[in-house]
Amino acid sequence: MARTLIVEADGGSRGNPGPAGYGAVVLDPETGEALAEAAEFIGTATNNVAEYKGLVAGLRAAHALDPQACVRVRMDSKLVVEQMSGRWKIKHPDMKPLAAEARSVFPPDRVTYEWIPRAQNKHADRLANEAMDAGKIGKQWEPRDSRAALATASAPARSAAARAADEAAEAADAAPSAPPAGWGAPDLGPPATFVLLRHGETALTPEKRFSGSGGTDPELSAAGRRQAEATAAALAARGTIQAVVSSPLRRCRETAEAVAARLGLEVRIEEGLRETDFGAWEGLTFAEVRERFPEDLDAWLGSARVAPTGGGESFAAVARRVCRRPRQAPRPVRGQDGAAGHACDTGQDAGPAGAGRPAGVAVPDGALRGIALRGRLLLRRQRLGAAAERHLTSAVAGRPVCPHICGSGASRTPAASPPYA
């Protein structure tokens, strides 16, 4: 029977892109003993590139120990695990050759991939940080200088039986249980957070014209493209975004694509997150609507259930559409991050209010108004948490999380002002 080895790998970038390094350790699956370590400072790179390089180094270290071994790779990067497992496509040009290199070390049928929380990947994480620390002073990591094994060896090695018992206990904890009586909620672990990101400007934005899903679907203006690129840089600096979701409208797709290109991710389109259809008001200014349809406008401003003239959507209808979306899309992955356009998505909040928590970034427009009306219900369905609600509230109140992308009214409640482009 072929020997089994465990490879744990990690990578990091202080700036994303910035000074980067990786770490990898090969473990005995029975004793937990570290059989080999690898780490390297790789200069300026992104988190994802560093993670892939850590994977390659870990696989090569395992191959040096036993070329015939079966390998279980464990990483806290959802992106690398899903891409190497074949469930996600690899589009970023920097990662394609690294993924191909990783696949060449062992036959694919002898390597499996498993996502683990960051807390369970401390050894590789410590090695990556040791490599970056060495690079900071102009040196390379040396095995003799490593303290990673000592830092992660405070707990004694557990037997296979002990680990099996732990896994059984975790499975029992994961079984569904009746909700507690009263207002109290069970501990759901680290909360996920939606960061709502406004798309960039279009030609209609400075003219303050209604621009919904029933209009001309304008592209980003030059200013809007600059805003999208600035936002992409800001999200890259977070270092933990793992998914991007967008409304189908062009301005949102272009904003989301700018973010995704910077992060080496794909954009998934969610039809339900499109902007409100403003009917006969599309392309008109607020003053023009007031002049042509005064009674309809007053009724619309007075109730979220009233639709614009000519068969548009009410905000209540948008809210129902948006709140249906979480049941159709994949659930957030705790410990991972995401980004989105006109949309919602999932990931890990690296900001001060939610360091290390699952988070998400969204570019909503019409979806934002739906969340504004029924946001608390949406949050509970997604089992987010206080951090998510804080981010959501700040966006709805007109204080966007990321200042690079903010509209001229869409982040306010319907009665306060109309939603412009």
Side-chain angles (χ1 to χ4, degrees), residues 2 12-13 56 185 187 228 242 318 333 341 352 366 378 381 389 409 411 414:
S13 172
V56 171
D187 182 7
Q242 296 286 348
V318 173
V333 177
L378 176 62
R381 284 179 177 169
E389 193 160 352
S411 57

Side-chain angles (χ1 to χ4, degrees), residues 336-374:
Q336 303 298 321
D337 274 23
H342 230 262
C344 296
D345 137 299
T346 57
Q348 184 150 13
D349 182 38
R357 296 172 177 171
V361 185
V363 192
D365 254 11
L368 176 55
R369 275 185 290 283
I371 296 169
L373 288 170
R374 296 182 64 179

Side-chain angles (χ1 to χ4, degrees), residues 119-201:
Q120 295 180 23
N121 201 27
K122 290 182 178 179
H123 195 138
D125 177 75
R126 178 65 180 265
L127 288 169
N129 277 285
E130 286 182 357
M132 286 185 280
D133 290 342
K136 188 176 181 180
I137 57 175
K139 297 182 178 181
Q140 273 293 356
W141 177 87
E142 294 288 344
R144 65 175 180 270
D145 298 329
S146 177
R147 297 292 182 270
L150 294 176
T152 55
S154 56
R158 293 175 299 140
S159 67
R163 290 195 301 275
D166 287 348
E167 290 172 0
E170 290 175 1
D173 289 341
S177 58
W183 292 100
D187 182 7
L188 300 174
T193 302
F194 283 97
V195 179
L196 305 176
L197 177 64
R198 184 81 156 88
H199 64 72
E201 287 187 6

Side-chain angles (χ1 to χ4, degrees), residues 217-383:
D217 195 15
E219 63 182 349
L220 292 179
S221 63
R225 287 190 290 274
R226 290 194 299 270
Q227 292 167 345
E229 291 298 333
T231 299
L235 292 176
R238 294 170 63 95
T240 53
I241 304 299
Q242 296 286 348
V244 181
V245 183
S246 175
S247 149
L249 295 194
R250 185 173 181 179
R251 55 189 179 268
C252 303
R253 286 189 285 107
E254 291 176 344
T255 301
E257 286 165 0
V259 172
R262 184 66 178 266
L263 299 174
L265 301 173
E266 297 180 47
V267 178
R268 190 185 67 228
I269 302 300
E270 285 286 341
E271 181 66 30
L273 294 172
R274 66 186 183 278
E275 170 64 287
T276 307
D277 182 346
F278 293 112
W281 302 353
E282 293 280 2
L284 302 180
T285 65
F286 187 79
E288 289 170 340
V289 172
R290 168 68 72 188
E291 179 181 355
R292 301 181 193 183
F293 310 103
E295 294 181 359
D296 290 352
L297 180 61
D298 287 341
W300 180 75
L301 291 175
S303 173
R305 298 181 181 279
V306 174
T309 310
E313 282 183 295
S314 70
F315 286 149
V318 173
R320 288 192 296 272
R321 161 159 54 84
V322 172
C323 287
R324 283 196 297 269
R325 183 258 168 188
R327 295 194 292 273
Q328 299 166 347
R331 296 283 183 180
V333 177
R334 298 191 183 279
Q336 303 298 321
D337 274 23
H342 230 262
C344 296
D345 137 299
T346 57
Q348 184 150 13
D349 182 38
R357 296 172 177 171
V361 185
V363 192
D365 254 11
L368 176 55
R369 275 185 290 283
I371 296 169
L373 288 170
R374 296 182 64 179
R376 292 181 182 272
L377 176 59
L378 176 62
L379 288 173
R380 291 190 182 116
R381 284 179 177 169
Q382 283 290 67
R383 290 190 172 187

Side-chain angles (χ1 to χ4, degrees), residues 103-123:
R103 292 191 183 100
S104 71
V105 179
F106 284 94
D109 61 352
R110 284 202 266 129
V111 183
T112 60
Y113 292 87
E114 172 190 356
W115 177 84
I116 58 174
R118 183 167 296 177
Q120 295 180 23
N121 201 27
K122 290 182 178 179
H123 195 138

